[in-house]
Amino acid sequence: MPALRHRAGRLRYRKIFCFHMLEIETGVDYWFETLSAQPLTFSLRAQHENMKGPVRTGAVVFARLKTVHMARLRRKSPAAWEYYFKYTYHPGRPDTAKPDPHAVYELPFAAGRSFRVTQGFKSSYTHKKLESYAVDWGLPEGTPVHAARSGIVVGADGSSTSRKRGRGNFIWIRHADGTYGWYLHLKPGGVLVKAGQKVDVGKHIGYSGNTGKSTRAHLHFQVSIPTSGRYAFTTIPIRLRTADGIVSNIHTGDVHRRP
C-alpha cells in the first residue's frame, strides 16, 4: 500500500489525484484532491506518535473534481512527533460493482503462447489481503499484453521509468458488471490505449515491463471492485480460459497456455 511520511507540499499522481500537505511546527494538515471527474474511491489511514487530531477514515467516494480535508494532526507535547499516512484507491464507486459469477476471462497474452504463474492466488509474498486474488505471469519485458475481458479504459499511463515504488505503468479497464481489470508494471511507453476507449476481449493493449515496485519483468493482473469499508478496494476470484480448460484455482508455478 502506498504511504507518505513527513512530506509537505503538493504531490501529484498521474493526473488522477494529488495530495496537499502542510507541515508546520506543531503538526500537519492533509488534503486529497481529484484531478478527474472519473469516479474514484479513496481511503486514508494514519499512524502517529505524540500527535492527536481528526483523521477521516473509511472510504471516501469522489464523483467530481473536489478537494477534501482528510487529516489535521497536532503534537501533544514538546517531545518529538512523527506521522505516517497510508492510502488505498480504486477507480469507480462501490454501489456500481455487481460481479458476474459466470464471467470467464481470457489469458492476457497472445493466443498460442504459454507463461508460468510467478505468483498465484493468496501468495505469501505480495498477493495477500487486498490483493489475494491477483495473478502474476512471468512475461519478459516487451511481451504483448491483451485485454482479458471487454470494457472501457478508465485509466492508463505509460510514462513512468521508475522501479522504486508503486504499480508502475498501468491500464484500468471497467467491465460491464462494474468490476475492473488492472494490468500493471507495463514497460515505459508500453501503453497503447487511453482513457475513454472501448476495448474488445483479446485486443492488444500494451507491453509487459518491469516498472514500479517490481523485482523482475512480469505482468500483474487482477480483477477488483471498489469497497466502502476501511480499504478502497478488494480483489475477487476469477476464472480463466486456458488450453486445458477453465481454471479457477490459480497457483504459483502453474503454466497457462492461451488457446
Side-chain angles (χ1 to χ4, degrees), residues 121-137:
F121 288 173
K122 299 183 179 181
S123 164
S124 60
Y125 183 46
T126 60
H127 292 180
K128 48 191 174 182
K129 297 181 179 179
L130 300 182
E131 296 187 348
S132 290
Y133 295 105
V135 185
D136 289 349
W137 286 277

Side-chain angles (χ1 to χ4, degrees), residues 25-27 49-51 74-82:
E25 187 175 336
T26 56
E49 296 181 7
N50 191 32
M51 303 187 80
R74 295 294 182 262
R75 68 183 185 187
K76 294 191 291 186
S77 75
W81 51 273
E82 186 174 22

